[in-house]
Amino acid sequence: MTDKRAELRTPPEATIIHPPSAISSFLPVLHLRSRVLQAIRRWFGEHDFIEVETPVRLAAPALELHINAEPAGDRFLRTSPELHMKRLMAAGAPRIFQMGPCFRRGERGSRHNPEYTMLEWYRVDAGYAEVLMDTKMLLLAVAREVKGTTELTYQGRPLALAPFWERLTVAEAFLRWAGWDPTKVYDADRFDFDLVEKVEPRLPREVPVILTDYPAAAAALSRRKPDNSAVAERWELYLGGLEIANAYSELTDPVEQRARFAECAAARAAAGRPVYPLDEDFLAELGRMPPTGGIALGVDRLVMILADLATLDDLLPFRE
Amino acid sequence: MYSASDLRKGLKIEMDGVPYDIVEYEFYRPGKGQAMYKCRIRNLLNGNVTDKTFREVDGIGEPNLEEREMQYSYNDGEHFVFLENRTYEQITLNPEVLGDQKYFLTEDMTVKVLFHNDRAIVVTLPSYVEKKIISTEPGARGDTATNVTKAAKIDTGYEIRVPLFINEGDLVRIDTRNGAYAERVTKK
């Protein structure tokens, strides 16, 4: 059509995500997803991790400035299982993993769904570097088992899971593509905006990318780097440009953790968002948690990569 | 003012005095960061489409828009004149505002006119209009295939693709939203 203005008159059409007749077309993807879940469980079993299940309904969900919990009666659906899993680590568990549903209010987009499957694992006497090794081994094992290869194709571009993973510090990436260093002077608004508009679109897609060493202010539950307290030991994994996982050297200092929660609660109140009660049991036990590396990995997005799907609409048969 | 969480497909917003409508909308929240709303927006004045990312903290302008029903009256050779029946208010529009819609107007047709700050910017016709084919190659008799098309002209001079079985003098229904042939009209 040559008449651009004619587009203006087109009324917005109603969107039907998946009519009932389309559900059967999801069966092959569900099969692949099932094999991914089995491969993940097998890998953790072989590496002496215990699978745990922790509460889904929480009185005190973790305080994060930008993550909103879905109310469920007098409680909240978990946005992450991390506080209970850390209590298990504080109680002496050496290696634990959990794979189950998490819920985030209002998050719906082609890469977000208000409920999704999270894989979290924690390893004792470890930090974010050890968890990176776990992640590499896990993803290679899963890809080999499910796809028979670590040479993937995602949305028409090659994605080689081995042997090389690109590692970029946040400072390097921002200096290169956004022209400033958020670990020197942090500006939260500008950080998020430039991350989405300038950095993420330019990350390499042919290899896994680790964006690492975040400004401490952008990592509420992670340990600061011993040699640079402005930087937190946090990394994020990107596959094919898609953010897949977030890892921490976990913060084990209950005093600093309480202070960060309080700061976050104040910021949430100032932004007019609900403020959740502090999890006092978690804070009381955190001091007993040994040095621990932890990570949360989005299983739905990982399956999107392995199944070469562009959006969650192609993955989830019962999409709201 | 709208806030970013009001954004959705079809919402009309204003930036720098220009009204836009949101054609595509995507929620995105990076890592632990704030929500972003990646939008594809269409300039309601010229139809141009651009990308714009809004942050949760961004206030977004609400355009002063009003839609009124008016009747098409006549074309003075250059401009198109519409009347509001109730008030007898008259507006005169340049052909550019109408685009290809100008070929589908008929006398007394009721249209919806969108005003931005009292200036008419978009005219929406009924979704379907009936027009007579004034010229086309003769069709193959008995050929009822609809996937093979040929050129035809309607009485206002607009060119359209029609199935082979359409002949000169036939009445056809045209979808004004995309300017395409919809079906043949058989008058009983």
Side-chain angles (χ1 to χ4, degrees):
Chain A
M1 188 165 34
T2 53
D3 180 9
K4 260 195 300 189
R5 294 191 50 87
E7 294 259 319
L8 299 176
R9 302 166 196 108
T10 309
E13 52 202 71
T15 318
I16 301 167
I17 301 297
H18 300 312
S21 60
I23 292 174
S24 63
S25 68
F26 284 86
L27 296 177
V29 169
L30 290 179
H31 186 208
L32 185 137
R33 182 187 181 112
S34 160
R35 291 169 59 217
V36 171
L37 302 186
Q38 288 169 37
I40 289 171
R41 290 204 159 90
R42 186 165 307 124
W43 187 87
F44 281 105
E46 285 166 0
H47 290 80
D48 295 323
F49 279 77
I50 300 166
E51 180 164 9
V52 298
E53 291 179 300
T54 61
V56 174
R57 296 161 56 254
L58 312 182
L63 276 160
E64 295 263 9
L65 179 52
H66 299 296
I67 297 177
N68 296 313
E70 193 71 60
D74 58 350
R75 294 178 179 240
F76 298 93
L77 298 179
R78 67 181 181 191
T79 58
S80 138
E82 64 190 297
L83 301 188
H84 281 106
M85 290 184 77
K86 287 180 188 175
R87 289 178 64 188
L88 290 171
M89 295 303 290
R95 285 169 300 280
I96 54 175
F97 81 102
Q98 175 161 208
M99 195 153 48
C102 289
F103 305 82
R104 293 183 178 182
R105 187 180 176 88
E107 299 199 359
R108 196 199 178 287
S110 65
R111 300 165 178 198
H112 291 83
N113 203 47
E115 60 176 278
Y116 62 102
T117 301
M118 186 92 102
L119 166 65
E120 286 213 13
W121 74 91
Y122 292 84
R123 173 184 276 282
V124 74
D125 294 329
Y128 70 158
E130 288 74 18
V131 169
L132 180 53
M133 288 309 299
D134 285 341
T135 308
K136 283 186 183 176
M137 290 193 291
L138 170 71
L139 293 194
L140 293 179
V142 170
R144 281 195 192 106
E145 184 165 334
V146 174
K147 303 288 288 184
T149 175
T150 58
E151 305 288 317
L152 307 179
T153 300
Y154 185 62
Q155 299 300 295
R157 302 164 84 148
L159 168 59
L161 295 185
F164 175 70
W165 286 32
E166 176 84 44
R167 185 184 168 284
L168 277 166
T169 66
V170 167
E172 285 166 348
F174 271 71
L175 282 170
R176 191 177 305 172
W177 293 308
W180 65 295
D181 182 352
T183 65
K184 290 278 188 294
V185 182
Y186 184 64
D187 174 337
D189 270 347
R190 194 176 169 205
F191 179 78
D192 291 341
F193 194 76
D194 283 356
L195 179 64
V196 169
E197 291 288 292
K198 298 177 178 169
V199 175
E200 286 188 351
R202 294 187 174 87
L203 294 175
R205 308 238 165 152
E206 292 74 21
V207 293
V209 177
I210 296 295
L211 194 58
T212 187
D213 296 354
Y214 278 67
L221 291 101
S222 75
R223 190 173 72 195
R224 291 166 194 268
K225 262 180 114 68
D227 57 346
N228 181 359
S229 68
V231 170
E233 294 191 342
R234 168 189 172 194
W235 56 254
E236 290 250 3
L237 166 65
Y238 289 84
L239 292 181
L242 205 57
E243 181 198 334
I244 297 288
N246 177 69
Y248 288 154
S249 298
E250 300 296 344
L251 179 63
T252 52
D253 177 348
V255 177
E256 181 165 0
Q257 183 67 78
R258 183 181 291 277
R260 290 203 205 171
F261 277 160
E263 201 178 305
C264 184
R268 285 188 66 92
R273 295 178 196 149
V275 177
Y276 313 121
L278 290 186
D279 187 334
E280 291 294 345
D281 295 327
F282 164 72
L283 286 168
E285 294 160 26
L286 182 61
R288 289 197 288 279
M289 187 168 86
T292 295
I295 176 169
L297 183 152
V299 174
D300 306 81
R301 289 187 184 176
L302 177 61
V303 179
M304 274 172 69
I305 294 287
L306 292 167
D308 191 14
L309 304 176
T311 87
L312 288 173
D313 291 336
D314 305 321
L315 176 74
L316 304 172
F318 306 108
R319 183 97 141 120
E320 283 171 40
Chain B
M1 290 287 271
Y2 290 118
S3 70
S5 54
D6 295 323
L7 294 172
R8 63 188 179 278
K9 201 170 157 180
L11 184 75
K12 295 186 171 61
I13 61 170
E14 184 170 283
M15 291 191 309
D16 301 325
V18 177
Y20 293 84
D21 84 358
I22 295 174
V23 208
E24 278 171 46
Y25 154 88
E26 162 81 332
F27 170 89
Y28 184 68
R29 202 178 54 68
K32 304 278 180 185
Q34 65 180 300
M36 304 273 170
Y37 302 83
K38 293 184 163 189
C39 296
R40 181 151 292 172
I41 58 176
R42 182 161 46 206
N43 182 321
L44 286 174
L45 301 182
N46 59 22
N48 287 339
V49 173
T50 48
D51 290 329
K52 170 85 183 167
T53 297
F54 297 99
R55 294 169 302 174
E56 216 162 2
V57 293
D58 291 334
I60 296 155
E62 193 175 341
N64 171 23
L65 293 172
E66 185 194 4
E67 191 168 68
R68 282 149 62 185
E69 286 203 341
M70 301 188 90
Q71 270 70 42
Y72 173 55
S73 183
Y74 65 93
N75 170 12
D76 69 4
E78 189 182 353
H79 300 101
F80 292 79
V81 178
F82 295 82
L83 282 176
E84 186 161 23
N85 273 355
R86 195 167 37 83
T87 61
Y88 298 107
E89 190 186 330
Q90 177 180 321
I91 58 163
T92 305
L93 295 184
N94 293 322
E96 293 78 51
V97 174
L98 286 152
D100 280 352
Q101 303 288 95
K102 66 174 181 267
Y103 297 113
F104 308 134
L105 288 168
T106 52
E107 204 187 342
D108 290 337
M109 175 184 274
T110 300
V111 300
K112 288 180 178 146
V113 182
L114 185 67
F115 292 85
H116 176 240
N117 297 331
D118 296 325
R119 169 183 164 210
I121 56 167
V122 178
V123 178
T124 305
L125 272 58
S127 299
Y128 294 96
V129 295
E130 292 177 4
K131 284 288 180 187
K132 185 175 266 180
I133 299 295
I134 57 157
S135 72
T136 187
E137 297 292 313
R141 188 176 295 273
D143 190 342
T144 54
T146 49
N147 54 347
V148 185
T149 62
K150 59 177 181 176
K153 221 171 230 175
I154 62 174
D155 51 12
T156 52
Y158 178 78
E159 277 219 11
I160 189 171
R161 304 295 303 182
V162 296
L164 297 181
F165 59 78
I166 297 291
N167 292 309
E168 282 181 21
D170 281 354
L171 208 53
V172 299
R173 192 162 283 135
I174 296 172
D175 187 334
T176 63
R177 293 163 297 185
N178 56 16
Y181 166 90
E183 60 181 348
R184 177 162 59 179
V185 182
T186 21
K187 288 281 187 223
K188 299 260 160 71

